[in-house]
Each structure stands twice: as structure tokens, then as C-alpha cells.
Amino acid sequence: MEKVKVSVPVMSDLFARGEKPEYLFWVGSAGAFDDRYKKVTREFVKILHHFNVSYAVLGTEESDSGDVARRAGNEMLFQMQALMNIELFKMYGVKKILTCCPHDYNTFRNEYPDFGFLAEVVHHSQFLAGLLANSKFQIPNSKQIQNPKSKIQNEFNIQHSKFNITFHDPCYLGRANGEYDAPRKVLSALGTSMIEMKRSKSFALCCGAGGGQMFKEAEQGNKEVFIERIEDVIASGANVVATACPFCMVMMTDGIKYKNKEEEIKNYDIAELVSMALGL
């Protein structure tokens, strides 16, 4: 199958031509450097191009939101990052920020206003749900497809009925910002079976990576949090655990490997599932 090639617009290039995109797509550290989550970034960019969304990335000008620094207690580093980013945002006239990371979403939405920056911040689950609400987002089923765009799309529509998906709620999307419906609306649009874990939505268990925990040694206890959470996934009977956060993806993937369930359970970001269904 021929890979889809897209040219990602860079904010500085558009700015030099006097153009201004509707969205700044904040890629995030994981989206730029983590091998697994770079795949999510690529699939989401394909979706943006598929729907002709006006966006741009900062490229080498993008730094870090400062979320982990603040959670880990380095307030000075956080404020340095925030002020540096805000100056950049203001220079480019950024009014809308689109991101796949709930941690960055929470930081831009709830913490940057304290430093004088206000913008509409959209998580990619909300963005995809918005496309659905505007009737732009339609996943054709296998009966509707006469000439599948790709082998992947055909394969997805043949076996999507076998997908039993459960969604793991990211803490900074769910409990921190009250967003539970958007990712579920997107997954429901795929035509797959949805299964809720016993602990879900506001009662969902953390993946174990938030608050800077992913970057430090485990504390005393008889079980890692990610193991407890992947046991919830296994108990649900789902064969796909969908995530919408780079931290959660790392922890769920580690849990699947720890339990030797790589053949039985797959972990996909919601953007990957949408991209597969659209045959991008």
C-alpha cells in the first residue's frame, strides 16, 4: 500500500507569507519524540488534511508546555516555559490551540490564563467529535464501500465488528476538565462494540503516569498502578483499549506487555482508529 504523504505547514513559513491558520497544532514532546506516539501524530495530521483543516505547527520553535515541571515541583521552570511560549503565541496571534495531549490541554486552558494568555484550547477528541456533530465525519461501513481507498480501510471494515473497544479516561481530560463524552462519541461513530470498564469516567483509575510519576522510581506498594488499570481492561473482555493521551498510551502498552496479552489486546489512540476507518 502506498503511504499517504502530507506536507505539514509551519507557523513561521505562513507568517512570513502573511497567512494565519485557524489552529496552532501543538504536537507535544511525546508526539514529536516518542516513537509510538509519533505514529498518532502522523495519523491525526492525515485527518486534518483529509478535512482541509486550517492549521500549522511551530516546528523547531515548539518547546514544552511546562506541565511536568510544575507537577514535579519546579515552579520556576514551569513559569519560564509558560512565559516563553506565551510570547511566541502572541507574536503569531494564536487564538486556537489543538493538541492530542490532555496534559498540555489542561495547562494551556487552565493555567496559562494566570499569565495573561487566553485562547480556545481543543483536545483532539473534542475536535473529532465536533466534526461528527457537523456531519463532516462519516465512517462508511463495508456495505457502503464499493472501491475501498486502501487495504487498511477494507480490512478495518471487514473486522471492525470484531473490535470490542473499551476507553481509558485520561485524568487531565476527564476529572480535571469534565470531558467524558467526546471520545466516546468518536468511538461510537466507528460502528464497533463499546464496553465500559467497571471503573470509568469520573471513577476511572489513573494510568499511573500523571503528575510526573512516569519519570520517577516507583514508590512503596504491592502493585504498580498501570498493572491495576490493565487488569480492569482485561476484566472488561475488550480486545482493544482506546486511549487519548500519550502518557496513557505508554502505560497501557506496558501493562499489556507485562500481562503477556500482546496477541489478545491492542492499544490504539482514537485518532489511529479514525484514520484506519477512513483509509488514510
Side-chain angles (χ1 to χ4, degrees), residues 240-260:
V240 173
V241 53
T243 49
C245 170
F247 285 35
C248 295
M249 173 162 275
V250 169
M251 304 308 277
M252 293 298 98
T253 300
D254 284 353
I256 292 170
K257 291 178 180 177
Y258 182 87
K259 291 290 186 176
N260 295 315

Side-chain angles (χ1 to χ4, degrees), residues 50-234:
H50 180 74
F51 290 106
N52 297 313
V53 177
S54 172
Y55 82 100
V57 300
L58 288 172
T60 56
E61 289 186 293
E62 182 177 305
S63 181
D64 186 272
S65 69
D67 163 74
V68 175
R70 173 169 266 194
R71 307 298 162 236
N74 195 334
E75 181 64 18
M76 183 178 73
L77 178 57
F78 165 73
Q79 292 195 21
M80 288 172 60
Q81 288 295 123
L83 292 172
M84 180 175 65
N85 288 331
I86 288 170
E87 285 302 310
L88 196 60
F89 295 162
K90 288 182 176 179
M91 182 183 76
Y92 286 127
V94 173
K95 300 298 182 184
K96 295 181 181 180
I97 299 176
L98 182 58
T99 180
C100 296
C101 179
H103 296 256
D104 295 334
Y105 167 76
N106 178 72
T107 300
F108 293 143
R109 183 173 188 260
N110 299 320
E111 298 179 346
Y112 274 36
D114 292 338
F115 299 90
F117 177 71
L118 293 172
E120 179 184 346
V121 187
V122 184
H123 185 255
H124 77 318
S125 65
Q126 297 170 327
F127 179 79
L128 292 171
L131 291 177
L132 173 63
N134 292 327
S135 300
K136 293 180 180 179
F137 182 81
Q138 295 181 351
I139 301 295
N141 59 46
S142 55
K143 294 181 180 178
Q144 294 172 320
I145 298 176
Q146 300 300 322
N147 298 300
K149 295 180 182 178
S150 70
K151 181 179 178 182
I152 286 182
Q153 186 182 35
N154 192 36
E155 180 181 336
F156 181 88
N157 283 281
I158 289 173
Q159 65 180 9
H160 80 281
S161 60
K162 300 178 182 178
F163 280 1
N164 294 312
I165 300 178
T166 192
F167 180 69
H168 166 74
D169 290 279
C171 294
Y172 281 92
L173 185 63
R175 283 191 294 274
N177 289 283
E179 184 58 83
Y180 301 107
D181 294 336
R184 287 172 172 81
K185 287 179 180 177
V186 174
L187 292 173
S188 295
L190 301 179
T192 58
S193 298
M194 282 285 295
I195 303 172
E196 289 289 357
M197 282 182 267
K198 186 175 181 180
R199 290 183 281 195
S200 65
K201 298 186 178 181
S202 61
F203 296 100
L205 185 67
C206 175
C207 72
Q213 294 295 310
M214 190 164 72
F215 305 103
K216 60 184 285 295
E217 294 297 324
E219 299 172 14
Q220 286 187 334
N222 56 19
K223 185 188 291 185
E224 292 269 18
V225 176
F226 77 91
I227 297 175
E228 179 80 7
R229 188 52 170 165
I230 205 64
E231 288 175 352
D232 287 350
V233 175
I234 295 170

